Amino acid sequence: MSVSTGQVHGTPQPGASRPPAADIDVASSEQVTSRGRILGARIMANRLGIIGIVWLVLMVSVALFADFFAPYTVDYVHEEALRAPPQRVHIFRDGKLVRPFVYGYKSERDARTFLTTYTEDPELVYPIHFFVEAEPYKLWGLITSNTRLFGVEEGGMVALFGTGRLGRDVFSRVLTATRISLSVPIIGMLISVILGSSIGVASGYWGGVADILIQRLTEVLMSFPRIPLWMALAATLPPELSSLHRYLGVTIVLALIGWAGLCRQIRGKTLALKESDFIMAGRAAGSSTPTILFRHLIPNCFSHIVVVATLSIPGLILAESSLSFLGIGITPPLVSWGTLLKDAQSVQVLTKHPWLLAPGVFMVLTVLAVNFLGDALRDALDPYSEIR
């Protein structure tokens, strides 16, 4: 009785021929995707995350090129239009498609209340031109230019978001304020992340007296209500400080308080990781303490740090706006969304001039966008989450 040399009980023999590679059903035959691509695909599958990314990219672009996008400077005054309503952009006139234009204002003063009301004047037509020459500015403080994205001819005006109490264009001021309202939270977040992650890893790794002292300090910082504590620290800034120095001071104040929560979380992860096999192997191999901290522990906490950092930005945006709204944050000539909202403090203003709330709308949308992005990052970095 002859036995086949090709296979016995399903086990290949040394002399047997192998089946073609295409016939082998193994995972390696599928397309191997890098971790970065997997994370990107999971983020792209999150619709709210995509909305957040698009809005944040738009806001960052506006912040970088605010002088170009804004038709006027922050201090340009339209003396003939104080608290004028937003102008509508028209593209049809006499039933024909024409260049986009706006109508001028026609003002009337109420003899009883002495309030001025504005309506469109069909006889005043101001065509909107793109890439126009206007007041000169310095882009990023380096490049001198006088080209703006859009504008109208001299003698006319375009106020897409209306004008404020002194006749300044709200649209231009909102775009310019984006630089401060985004840069303060981002810089503050970076400082707090560096402090929180470094101190948290050191506290969890070394333990002992240093850990006790650090954790008692974080508990003290976290026990105070955030807004009153920010107000107290911001109020200690000398009133004679320049706007730039006050801007830096507010940024540091927000950063010095925001690191405590991240420190506690990173300490907990460090306590769970420091007895892991790869950390013990690093110690046995003679790795120095800085190497273990910065090349092993912190990178393994990186996904958590990214999510916490992203989700901390909305709180910092609201904190800066609150301080500026109360007059102890950013001061003129710098403008932020909080300083612009000071013009909309009274109920009378809100009922008669609701367009002055435009900075608040931008603030809400930006906070929502960052939260959407943070949720998308959290789901993408969680291996057990489902793609929505």
Side-chain angles (χ1 to χ4, degrees):
M1 180 176 180
S2 62
V3 180
S4 172
T5 60
Q7 187 173 1
V8 177
H9 299 297
T11 303
Q13 299 301 314
S17 59
R18 293 180 177 270
D23 296 338
I24 301 177
D25 185 15
V26 294
S28 61
S29 63
E30 301 178 357
Q31 182 179 1
V32 178
T33 308
S34 66
R35 179 172 176 79
R37 289 185 178 181
I38 293 175
L39 293 178
R42 293 173 70 88
I43 293 175
M44 295 298 292
N46 191 309
R47 296 179 181 178
L48 292 179
I50 294 301
I51 294 175
I53 291 174
V54 171
W55 178 259
L56 291 176
V57 169
L58 178 61
M59 287 296 97
V60 171
S61 301
V62 167
L64 292 175
F65 303 98
D67 296 315
F68 171 70
F69 290 123
Y72 305 102
T73 62
V74 292
D75 296 323
Y76 188 87
V77 175
H78 300 284
E79 297 179 355
E80 71 283 0
L82 306 181
R83 286 179 175 168
Q87 293 174 306
R88 292 186 301 169
V89 179
H90 302 269
I91 57 175
F92 290 98
R93 191 179 185 200
D94 298 331
K96 297 181 180 179
L97 182 65
V98 296
R99 173 190 291 273
F101 69 93
V102 294
Y103 288 116
Y105 290 116
K106 180 169 59 176
S107 61
E108 296 180 0
R109 181 178 292 271
D110 192 318
R112 185 172 59 88
T113 62
F114 298 102
L115 295 177
T116 303
T117 58
Y118 296 91
T119 56
E120 290 183 343
D121 188 352
E123 297 182 359
L124 297 177
V125 179
Y126 301 127
I128 297 177
H129 301 276
F130 294 93
F131 302 102
V132 299
E133 294 185 1
E135 293 182 76
Y137 59 88
K138 278 194 172 183
L139 188 63
W140 309 318
L142 301 173
I143 305 173
T144 302
S145 175
N146 62 348
T147 302
R148 297 183 182 270
L149 179 61
F150 68 95
V152 296
E153 297 177 354
E154 188 175 355
M157 65 173 293
V158 54
L160 301 182
F161 289 174
T163 60
R165 178 173 56 89
L166 301 178
R168 293 176 294 193
D169 180 40
V170 175
F171 180 77
S172 300
R173 290 171 65 80
V174 168
L175 296 191
T176 305
T178 304
R179 294 184 297 195
I180 299 297
S181 295
L182 287 186
S183 62
V184 169
I186 291 176
I187 296 175
M189 177 270 294
L190 292 176
I191 296 175
S192 63
V193 162
I194 293 173
L195 287 175
S197 57
S198 301
I199 297 176
V201 167
S203 175
Y205 184 76
W206 277 304
V209 178
D211 180 38
I212 295 174
L213 293 177
I214 291 173
Q215 296 313 306
R216 298 298 81 77
L217 175 61
T218 59
E219 289 171 359
V220 169
L221 290 176
M222 296 175 67
S223 64
F224 285 98
R226 286 294 181 91
I227 295 298
L229 184 57
W230 280 324
M231 291 172 58
L233 292 178
T236 61
L237 298 176
E240 64 273 10
L241 283 180
S242 64
S243 297
L244 179 60
H245 290 146
R246 197 168 188 85
Y247 160 76
L248 297 175
V250 170
T251 304
I252 294 174
V253 165
L254 297 180
L256 290 180
I257 301 176
W259 63 271
L262 177 62
C263 174
R264 293 293 295 268
Q265 297 176 42
I266 297 302
R267 172 186 176 268
K269 294 186 73 67
T270 301
L271 290 175
L273 290 173
K274 72 176 185 178
E275 302 299 334
S276 301
D277 291 342
F278 70 97
I279 298 296
M280 302 299 291
R283 290 175 184 167
S287 297
S288 62
T289 299
T291 300
I292 294 175
L293 293 179
F294 294 102
R295 296 193 61 182
H296 299 292
L297 285 176
I298 290 182
N300 277 277
C301 300
F302 185 71
S303 61
H304 184 78
I305 293 173
V306 169
V307 174
V308 172
T310 304
L311 294 177
S312 69
I313 292 179
L316 295 176
I317 292 177
L318 296 176
E320 182 278 321
S321 299
S322 300
L323 295 178
S324 300
F325 178 79
L326 296 173
I328 55 178
I330 304 300
T331 57
L334 298 179
V335 291
S336 71
W337 292 334
T339 58
L340 296 181
L341 285 176
K342 293 178 66 176
D343 292 336
Q345 295 186 61
S346 66
V347 176
Q348 181 181 6
V349 171
L350 295 180
T351 56
K352 297 184 180 299
H353 315 291
W355 55 87
L356 296 180
L357 287 175
V361 175
F362 274 72
M363 186 192 310
V364 170
L365 293 177
T366 303
V367 169
L368 287 176
V370 176
N371 282 328
F372 291 159
L373 176 59
D375 290 340
L377 285 174
R378 181 174 57 196
D379 293 341
L381 294 170
D382 184 3
Y384 302 104
S385 67
E386 297 181 0
I387 299 178
R388 293 195 296 260

